[in-house]
Amino acid sequence: MDGWQRVFVLHGRPYSETSLLLDLFTENEGRISVLAKGARSRRSNLKGCLQPFTPLLVRWSGRGAIKTLRDADPISLALPLTGSVLYSGLYINELLSRVLEQGTAYPALFFDYLQCLQILAASEYTPEYALRRFELALLANLGYGVDYLHCAGSGEPVADTMTYRYREEKGFIASLVVDHYSFTGRELKSLATREFPDSATLKAAKRFTRIALKPYLGGKPLKSRELFRQFVHQKPEKKEN
């Protein structure tokens, strides 16, 4: 690739004694893998910037599955994600690494990702709000076509107080059954707009995105969720008098 491209590092791991193998989310080519030769050496000027949540301008070369990093410049400082919000960032990074095919462009999703990080960093909302919006954007970009606003059985617009049960590959069908797969019309409208005015719609969105993302993730658990559970269950040390 000759020109510069905006990217974020999703994940990196050591490769040989001085190099890094990076999973990148790029604006124009989606997810790619690059080898950053010598990036771990003491003399490398890349050592500090090839980190998650840092907006970068990057150039690479090569036609194989793993490209070679040529240059990388940070556009700005890393977005400040700390505490539980940091685990939210790690979660969306792992999500992208798991579900996006390499080399498929998702330019709109790139900006959904950036917006999600900015909302998380601003800490004006609960992390759940940003995560649910991003998950729904991800599903839409993956081609997950579901009509939230009409009953799949009758074609009628959903009614706020009616219950609709989700059926994979069919959609939401009016039902008297209330279970894990059931949503009210009001909750479905919030999914359609990606706006969650209260805790009920936010919880419904989490329930739906878990259902919808499961086929993409398979049976392998997400490491970021386990790390977050460990973080939540850590108890502060008792101070001795």
Side-chain angles (χ1 to χ4, degrees), residues 11 22 39 57 79 91 100 128 147 156 168 201 212 216 233 236:
H11 177 70
L22 302 171
L57 283 174
L79 291 159
Y91 165 70
L100 296 187
E128 297 282 335
D147 186 349
E156 294 291 323
E168 191 174 348
T201 53
Y216 294 96
H233 289 99

Side-chain angles (χ1 to χ4, degrees), residues 1 3 9 30 39 48 64 70 96 110 121 130 139 143 164 183 197 202 206 208 212 221 224 226 238:
M1 190 199 73
V9 174
R70 294 304 178 195
L96 291 176
F110 183 86
L139 286 165
Y164 300 86
F183 301 84
L202 199 55
K206 183 174 184 177
F208 174 72
S224 53
E226 181 56 36
K238 294 182 179 180

